[in-house]
Amino acid sequence: TGCPSLHTFYCISWSFATDSQIGYDVFQSCPDLRNLYIYTGTGGIGGAVPNLSGLSKLTNVYLWWNRFSGSVPALSGASNLYYIGLQGNRFTGTVPGYANLPNAHYIYLHNNAIQGLSDFGYLPNLRRFYCHNNQLVGNLPRYGGTDRCYRLEYLLLYNNQLTGYTAGALTELPWLRYLDVSNNQFTQSALNSLVDDLFDNYENYNRGGVTINIRNIRNNSAIVLPGEDQLDKIDILRTKGWTWRVT
């Protein structure tokens, strides 16, 4: 029974009734499923994401721009994942602590209602993590290091309510090219620590062509800018080919 040889499932349509749902275990009889595409627009399929656990061959998950809700799927057991696209839904809660996904290159969770970030584990090939336009609070966790997301190039966390910063979070990211944390609520000490770590990042991995956006940081409605020492470091980095958007 089921579709044991199904490799790719496409569902791209704007004809579904609002909040139509997919059976929770519909894909559990598809052990060879590699590619899952569901795109029905913001007025289409909703409810819980179908159960994808145990689908070890799953490679690409495209569930963007639907009305899926509940927790962000952990996708446990899918060690071959390359692309995780869950943007434009109604997910809440905390981002799973994704780990041990050696082939994962892209994780897109933007435009949801997610409230928290988790520490990621071993994601050695992750290039892009987008989690902007959510409701994130708390600290920006550590992404750098050979035990985490060493190859991360693009990190987008703008339009959230992050207030804290984990020291060393961005220091060991030699491939970082674009960071956008604008429109958050970092404290003065958190913002200073972030700038200090990016300066250390440059000293560790001397390169230009990096863009950093820290515009419109407000805490208790007051605009927060880097301290004098940090502004000096920003000026130095600008001479090294870094682009900074501060005000």
Side-chain angles (χ1 to χ4, degrees), residues 65-213:
W65 305 106
N66 297 287
R67 293 171 63 91
F68 288 119
S69 58
S71 300
V72 180
L75 301 171
S76 58
S79 59
N80 290 312
L81 276 170
Y82 177 85
Y83 184 103
I84 302 173
L86 304 173
Q87 66 268 35
N89 284 283
R90 297 184 171 189
F91 293 118
T92 56
T94 301
V95 175
Y98 292 118
N100 299 318
L101 300 175
N103 299 314
H105 280 58
Y106 307 99
I107 299 178
Y108 294 146
L109 302 177
H110 50 287
N111 292 85
N112 279 286
I114 302 167
Q115 293 97 12
L117 294 169
S118 297
D119 288 335
F120 283 170
Y122 186 57
L123 302 175
N125 285 300
L126 185 65
R127 302 300 202 271
R128 301 188 182 208
F129 176 47
Y130 291 3
C131 204
H132 52 281
N133 294 333
N134 275 287
Q135 299 171 15
L136 300 176
V137 297
N139 288 2
L140 191 158
R142 181 168 74 91
Y143 293 103
T146 55
D147 60 332
R148 303 227 177 171
C149 312
Y150 191 70
R151 293 295 302 271
L152 190 63
E153 298 177 15
Y154 290 81
L155 178 58
L156 276 60
L157 299 173
Y158 62 86
N159 290 347
N160 284 292
Q161 295 99 50
L162 295 171
T163 55
Y165 175 80
T166 304
L170 305 173
T171 305
E172 298 180 75
L173 290 174
W175 300 92
L176 184 66
R177 296 177 57 192
Y178 193 94
L179 170 70
D180 192 340
V181 292
S182 60
N183 294 295
N184 274 283
Q185 299 176 12
F186 293 114
T187 63
Q188 181 77 69
S189 61
L191 186 60
N192 286 345
S193 182
L194 184 150
V195 174
D196 289 341
D197 276 0
L198 289 171
F199 188 81
D200 290 343
N201 180 297
Y202 170 77
E203 291 196 317
N204 291 337
Y205 314 105
N206 191 313
R207 71 205 185 282
V210 179
T211 298
I212 308 295
N213 190 347

Side-chain angles (χ1 to χ4, degrees), residues 35-50:
N35 305 297
L36 177 60
Y37 300 83
I38 300 177
Y39 174 36
T40 60
T42 55
I45 289 178
V49 170

Side-chain angles (χ1 to χ4, degrees), residues 43-69:
I45 289 178
V49 170
N51 182 10
L52 303 177
S53 63
L55 299 179
S56 61
K57 297 181 181 180
L58 200 59
T59 304
N60 297 298
V61 176
Y62 296 84
L63 301 181
W64 19 233
W65 305 106
N66 297 287
R67 293 171 63 91
F68 288 119
S69 58

